[in-house]
Amino acid sequence: MNTQSPQAPQAPQAPAPRPGDQIASGGTIGLVLVRIVVPLWVLTGALFKITERSPSLLPRDFLKQVESLGFDLYWVLATLIAIEFIAVLIMVFIPKLARLMAVLMLVAFCLVLLNELRAGNFSSCGCLGSVSPPPWLMLLIDFLLLMGVVAFKPRPLEITSDRAGWALVSVLIMITSGITFGIVLSEMGPTTIVQVEQEQDTGSAPVDDAEAAEPTAPEPPAVETTKTMTLPAYYLVDASDWVGRNVRDIDMIEYIDGLADSLQAGRQYLIFYSRTCDHCQMLLEMHFGFGSPVPTTLVAVPENKGGFETDGLLDQPCMDCRELELPVGCEWLLTPPLVLALEDGVVKCAKEAEDSDVPECLIWH
């Protein structure tokens, strides 16, 4: 007689994962990165740039290098945006080149950002327009995306045939490039402005003592004179060779109405700043909030070619400072605050992006 008790049925075991499943999973990750995530990342930067279409969005050190070679910055900006659109189209519609294009774009981004950090730019790279995070954060994002693209080989997914893909990409390249260059280069024309100056008309007729003693003698009328000036599409500030020069020999000064003649006597400061710049406010508050040791002129820089910002304005703490403005209609490419120390009109020190804690050019303090 069989006395063995029946065995309980065993639960079915899950099949062991096969190597092919892991490969398929990695291929899906690679596909998402190469065909979706990286193209969207590159497209976002291109759209921000073409919306603002300002050379100030170019990385600072890169901007100086290409301008020193004689390239027009609007043409450079349009070319870079067009390249980004082309890269997006290839990654989406040409599967065989998608991974290679993603690697090339991310490597280029990382190299540019590393160069910006080397040059001391820790504020903004312009990668996402005026709302760009600091370069180190953009470098971290680009590097992680690059590592993902290299580590995970995308599985094949053809949206169209090779011939149809190339035909579609060719048409879209012509359309996007034409739109890009048309929009960006429309901003590169010069701007003509008219400056109005008022002077007291003292006249040429002599005045005797009796007339001069009369308290009711009318003030001489003010005479208005106009001056027409053409602004460049952009002005890239390079203060590296300003020391030792007379301020009147710096062409940027000519664009500030009635400024040059007032800077020729004694020790003075000339400070270019932005009304939305917290570093500028900190510099003025720390070193000019309780008065200025020498005559100081502040020159407000328009935040963009269209004019001054109206939101996010910061208080200007220097009550003793004379305040003027650079004219609107030009892209003033500088990193405020730009501080000049003058003596009898000669530049003794000039520093862009002056440090508020340990300033180099506040030598009269």
Side-chain angles (χ1 to χ4, degrees), residues 183-196:
I183 291 177
V184 175
L185 298 186
S186 66
E187 300 288 328
M188 66 183 297
T191 302
T192 301
I193 62 172
V194 178
Q195 294 179 340
V196 179

Side-chain angles (χ1 to χ4, degrees), residues 207-217:
V207 180
D208 57 31
D209 294 338
E211 292 176 341
E214 293 181 3
T216 58

Side-chain angles (χ1 to χ4, degrees), residues 33 37-38 41 106 140-150:
L33 283 173
V37 176
V38 176
W41 179 241
L106 291 172
L140 178 61
I141 296 172
D142 290 337
F143 181 76
L144 291 176
L145 289 175
L146 177 61
M147 291 298 98
V149 171
V150 172

Side-chain angles (χ1 to χ4, degrees), residues 165-197:
W166 277 111
L168 179 59
V169 166
S170 299
V171 172
L172 292 178
I173 285 176
M174 289 188 291
I175 294 174
T176 55
S177 298
I179 293 175
T180 298
F181 279 91
I183 291 177
V184 175
L185 298 186
S186 66
E187 300 288 328
M188 66 183 297
T191 302
T192 301
I193 62 172
V194 178
Q195 294 179 340
V196 179
E197 300 177 352

